[in-house]
Amino acid sequence: MQTFLPFADFRESAAALDTSRLGKQRVEALQVLRALVIPEYGWQSHPAVRMWMGHVPALTMYGLAMADEWIARGHPDNTRTNITEFAPQAAHPDYASRIVMPPWLGHEDLHLSHRSKLISKDPKHYAQLFPGTEEKLEYVWPEPNHEFHPEDPEDDSLWILRAAVEDLRPEQLTTVAMPPHGKARAAAPADPDEYQFVYAEEKSRRQVKGPKKRPVKQLEKKPTRKRQAQEQAFNTLPGKTELAVPFDGGQTFAVGLIHGRPITVDGRFARNFEVTKVIKRSDFDYPALLQDPRVFFPVPAPLQ
């Protein structure tokens, strides 16, 4: 994981990157943004995350510079909208100019280390762009002035449940359940060590020359500890608790209340649900939190 900055200027850095690495930087920036903002996302101790702590808007500007250069080169993009959610002001020049930059931006030792690493990764592309750059320098990893680790809200929160809604409209939702934690793995090529010799039926005059493959077992993916914790939180949710279920790829949410005792739907633990309103993604104070990959998690409740 890395946010390459051969130069202090984000757009100049984007223009210098080879196309393959430029495409990856859009995703890297989005991953770092999520690690900085979304609880339990992971990567929070990685130096590429730590260096941006306290500077989410600046990193958003960096990600947008990468996405814009990628688009300018004629490639389709599916990251820019998600990146923008973390600091919408970064997409507007009038506001972007006021964003506070990290204190290490402009430090030549950092930018030199990035240029050196890029030459090592693709000498043909970068040697001519960065002539005279010392090779094989180690990365410079700035430490944050203050550590920031995201946490789930405790008060005035709204639970988000990524339930399977099939072809329902938000107003038609009457029961909710956690989605299955995993699907059977696709049959993989058999391991030769799992072969066993099987002979033909007794009426045959000859043995089967080759080994016969054992049937491939369908393996069920076990839930992780984090997933188990999410299931426990959902299973013990008190009645009258408000939660929201995303529709339309997370652009619309059915908000309602848990009612009555637990029930079973298709063999799975479920709850009766009464929809009280339908809201849009833009109604949330900070929609970036809805990029949380967990299937059951709290976010700050939208203002009424």
Side-chain angles (χ1 to χ4, degrees), residues 1 31 34-36 38-45 49 226:
M1 181 178 286
Q31 293 282 65
R34 289 171 174 170
L36 290 170
I38 296 175
E40 299 185 22
Y41 189 78
W43 300 104
Q44 292 171 3
S45 61
V49 175
K226 289 184 178 180

Side-chain angles (χ1 to χ4, degrees), residues 165-233:
V165 295
E166 299 178 346
D167 297 327
L168 295 176
R169 297 194 305 273
E171 300 84 357
Q172 296 175 313
L173 194 61
T174 58
T175 61
V176 290
M178 293 280 284
H181 65 262
K183 298 180 180 179
R185 295 180 180 177
D191 187 335
D193 293 338
E194 293 183 351
Y195 284 13
Q196 64 179 354
F197 289 94
V198 179
Y199 293 102
E201 296 177 1
E202 293 182 359
K203 63 181 180 181
S204 174
R205 295 184 179 181
R206 62 179 180 177
Q207 297 177 347
V208 174
K209 294 181 179 180
K212 184 175 181 180
K213 298 178 182 178
R214 290 177 178 175
V216 177
K217 295 181 179 180
Q218 296 295 322
L219 301 178
E220 183 178 352
K221 186 177 180 181
K222 295 182 179 180
T224 63
R225 291 182 179 180
K226 289 184 178 180
R227 176 57 190 265
Q228 291 176 15
Q230 294 167 46
E231 291 181 351
Q232 177 68 12

Side-chain angles (χ1 to χ4, degrees), residues 216-295:
V216 177
K217 295 181 179 180
Q218 296 295 322
L219 301 178
E220 183 178 352
K221 186 177 180 181
K222 295 182 179 180
T224 63
R225 291 182 179 180
K226 289 184 178 180
R227 176 57 190 265
Q228 291 176 15
Q230 294 167 46
E231 291 181 351
Q232 177 68 12
F234 175 73
N235 293 351
T236 57
L237 208 62
K240 302 295 184 180
T241 298
E242 188 175 54
L243 60 81
V245 178
F247 284 76
D248 306 320
Q251 299 305 308
T252 304
F253 290 79
V255 181
L257 300 174
I258 293 293
H259 278 301
R261 297 181 178 180
I263 59 175
T264 300
V265 176
D266 296 330
R268 292 188 291 124
F269 184 97
R271 310 294 295 270
N272 287 308
F273 184 68
E274 179 187 5
V275 177
T276 56
K277 58 184 175 182
V278 177
I279 64 175
K280 298 179 180 179
R281 189 181 188 92
S282 57
D283 292 326
F284 288 85
D285 296 334
Y286 195 33
L289 292 174
L290 300 172
Q291 296 184 35
D292 195 317
R294 292 176 291 179
V295 295

Side-chain angles (χ1 to χ4, degrees), residues 83-161:
I83 291 171
T84 304
E85 279 193 333
F86 288 88
Q89 68 271 30
H92 299 280
D94 293 341
Y95 296 97
S97 62
R98 306 175 191 175
I99 290 175
V100 177
M101 293 294 141
W104 44 258
L105 191 67
H107 287 193
E108 183 57 21
D109 58 343
L110 181 143
H111 302 299
L112 179 60
S113 74
H114 285 204
R115 293 196 294 269
S116 180
K117 284 295 185 182
L118 287 169
I119 290 175
S120 299
K121 291 178 179 296
D122 191 343
K124 184 177 180 180
H125 180 83
Y126 292 106
Q128 60 182 346
L129 292 178
F130 313 138
T133 299
E134 183 179 349
E135 298 184 21
K136 299 182 180 179
L137 295 177
E138 293 300 320
Y139 283 122
V140 173
W141 297 109
E143 279 292 301
N145 291 333
H146 303 282
E147 290 200 22
F148 297 88
H149 296 284
E151 296 181 353
D152 285 324
E154 295 182 359
D155 301 320
D156 297 325
S157 61
L158 174 66
W159 286 96
I160 306 296
L161 173 64

